[in-house]
């Protein structure tokens, strides 16, 4: 290392020392020597999770068996987790339900939302959304006999008129990291009499979300990215309180019944957001998520945002300064329009990502030409950003991305 690079790395360290989230990294178990920039795909393992899950398996399930529904309060676990997620998305826990996958949750929520606007004939969605959102919206449209209307992602409001029942958008784009102005778009939907549904998969835990303040009707989001709930951890749904009473979701299972253990023949929806439930909740996954969310104890959302912007801004600054436009920054540079990831375009993006992984820097590739880097503010440091760009410079200078072993045809994700 030259004196110059040592100095620059020290400067990165100084930024970490000044960071309000500096202590939070210790709440996670991260592999030594790895720079992990893929928390926008799978969040890191919070320190409290292994023991908590192990206890749930060996004691609650293994010894107490069925009694744990009461003794360990499994029956209310989903509610307790919802209460922890609420404050992270600007909502009351009582308006949040947790239990199914994001895709299933989106299906139930979108169908229920459309049913609240009878007579309206269209769902608006952006074509650049994560594929499952488009597929699910098409499925709901088919089921309910509605038009699926693809909007211009740059100006979704233009597609909204008095025929539109629901506008369904992803707050932070999975490919580019671009972020919508939640307040402005929600207002535009409401001005046309439509309901607003946000997908928060790339927002919750990384950027502040104010659902109640912006009068959002519905939101869904996964918990395995910036909320660190573990692979396949269950998704959440938010339903604004004014919609609880009339909510008619399509998978009316027994867990959404007002009195599941009465075993009635006829369905009577539970009061409040609990009617979004369908079947038996995934207790082990909820247990991991419950423990994972404790990592956010005492953490201020404003500090999360400030740290996220500092990390992404620093990454962009170093890429600009050191890579001479070899990769194009496709994430908006304006802080107000940027989530917590930075995406770079390169003809050999797959090779770039694979070569970086071999050098200990984990990001990911999205077809056809995007290298994504997620900056989970809770555990990524400025020094990681510095080290990642050092490795990226080496990969590009030595053209390691062109190695035949990094052929994109080998890509599995
Ligand atoms: C915006 C968005 N929605 C939905 C999903 C995934 O849905 P599921 O949790 O059902 O796999 C993802 C996954 O990355 C996503 O980025």
């Amino acid at each position: 290392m030259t004196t110059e690079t040592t100095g620059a790395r020290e400067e990165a360290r100084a930024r970490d020392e000044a960071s309000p989230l500096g202590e939070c990294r210790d709440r996670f178990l991260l592999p030594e020597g790895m720079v992990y920039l893929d928390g926008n795909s799978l969040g890191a393992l919070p320190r409290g999770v292994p023991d908590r899950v192990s206890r749930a398996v060996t004691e609650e399930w293994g010894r107490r068996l069925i009694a744990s529904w009461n003794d360990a309060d499994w029956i209310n676990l989903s509610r307790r987790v919802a209460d922890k997620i609420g404050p992270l998305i600007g909502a009351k826990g009582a308006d949040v339900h947790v239990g199914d996958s994001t895709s299933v949750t989106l299906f139930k929520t979108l169908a229920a939302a459309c049913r609240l606007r009878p007579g309206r004939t269209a769902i608006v969605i952006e074509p650049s959304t994560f594929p499952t959102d488009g597929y699910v919206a098409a499925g709901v449209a088919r089921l309910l006999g509605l038009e699926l209307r693809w909007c211009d992602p740059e100006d979704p409001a233009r597609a909204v008129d008095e025929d539109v029942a629901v506008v369904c958008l992803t707050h932070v784009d999975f490919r580019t990291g671009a972020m919508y102005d939640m307040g402005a778009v929600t207002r535009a939907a409401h001005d046309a009499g439509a309901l607003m549904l946000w997908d928060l998969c790339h927002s919750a835990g990384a950027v502040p979300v104010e659902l109640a303040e912006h009068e959002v009707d519905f939101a869904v989001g996964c918990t395995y990215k910036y909320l660190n709930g573990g692979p396949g951890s269950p998704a959440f749904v938010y339903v604004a309180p004014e919609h609880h009473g009339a909510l008619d979701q399509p998978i009316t299972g027994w867990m959404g019944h007002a009195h599941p253990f009465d075993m009635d023949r006829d369905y009577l929806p539970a009061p409040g957001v609990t009617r979004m439930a369908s079947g038996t909740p995934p207790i082990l996954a909820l247990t991991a998520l419950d423990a994972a969310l404790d990592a956010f104890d005492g953490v201020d959302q404003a500090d999360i945002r400030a740290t996220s912007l500092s990390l992404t801004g620093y990454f962009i600054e170093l890429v600009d300064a050191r890579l001479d436009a070899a990769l194009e920054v496709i994430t908006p540079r304006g802080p107000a329009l940027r989530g917590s990831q930075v995406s770079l375009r390169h003809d050999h993006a797959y090779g770039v990502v694979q070569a970086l992984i071999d050098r200990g820097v984990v990001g990911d590739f999205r077809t056809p030409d995007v290298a994504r880097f997620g900056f989970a503010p809770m555990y990524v440091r400025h020094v990681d950003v510095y080290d990642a760009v050092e490795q990226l410079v080496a990969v590009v200078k030595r053209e390691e991305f062109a190695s035949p072993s990094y052929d994109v045809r080998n890509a599995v994700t």
Side-chain angles (χ1 to χ4, degrees), residues 95 215-218 238-244:
D95 300 329
E215 300 182 354
V216 169
D217 301 287
F218 299 95
Y238 163 83
V239 181
E242 66 267 29
H243 299 311
H244 289 186

Side-chain angles (χ1 to χ4, degrees), residues 203-235:
S203 316
V207 301
V209 177
E210 295 296 345
L211 295 178
E213 184 185 318
H214 294 309
E215 300 182 354
V216 169
D217 301 287
F218 299 95
V220 300
C222 72
T223 59
Y224 47 76
K225 299 183 194 291
Y226 297 108
L227 294 178
N228 314 301
S233 59

Side-chain angles (χ1 to χ4, degrees), residues 130-344:
F130 188 79
T132 209
D133 295 49
Y135 304 156
V136 166
V140 169
R142 240 180 1 260
L143 191 75
L144 301 180
L146 302 174
E147 170 203 353
L148 186 64
R149 191 179 291 177
W150 301 102
C151 64
D152 173 1
E154 301 290 323
D155 186 10
R158 209 148 49 84
V160 187
D161 58 25
E162 65 283 357
D163 291 333
V164 174
V166 181
V167 179
C168 175
L169 298 173
T170 295
H171 185 214
V172 174
D173 185 88
F174 82 100
R175 202 179 270 113
T176 64
M179 183 166 74
Y180 281 118
D181 177 338
M182 179 175 279
V185 178
T186 302
R187 268 194 304 283
H190 287 170
D191 286 349
L195 296 172
M196 188 71 225
L197 193 171
W198 288 103
D199 179 331
L200 303 178
C201 281
H202 290 269
S203 316
V207 301
V209 177
E210 295 296 345
L211 295 178
E213 184 185 318
H214 294 309
E215 300 182 354
V216 169
D217 301 287
F218 299 95
V220 300
C222 72
T223 59
Y224 47 76
K225 299 183 194 291
Y226 297 108
L227 294 178
N228 314 301
S233 59
F236 63 84
V237 52
Y238 163 83
V239 181
E242 66 267 29
H243 299 311
H244 289 186
L247 200 68
D248 179 13
Q249 64 101 341
I251 307 182
T252 46
W254 75 306
M255 282 286 158
H257 193 282
H259 311 289
F261 293 96
D262 284 1
M263 307 283 171
D264 283 343
R265 188 197 68 175
D266 296 324
Y267 184 76
L268 176 68
V273 76
T274 303
R275 68 181 56 187
M276 286 304 293
S278 297
T280 304
I283 293 300
L284 295 181
L286 279 169
T287 299
L289 175 57
D290 187 32
L293 290 168
D294 290 343
F296 287 93
D297 278 356
V299 175
D300 190 327
Q301 291 290 307
D303 289 338
I304 289 189
R305 182 60 171 157
T307 306
S308 160
L309 284 177
S310 179
L311 293 166
T312 52
Y314 184 42
F315 184 73
I316 292 172
E317 181 188 312
L318 291 177
V319 167
D320 282 346
R322 306 218 28 218
L323 280 147
D324 199 19
L327 297 103
E328 179 194 356
V329 177
I330 60 168
T331 302
R333 287 163 184 272
L337 300 176
R338 176 164 101 222
S340 206
Q341 82 180 48
V342 177
S343 300
L344 305 177

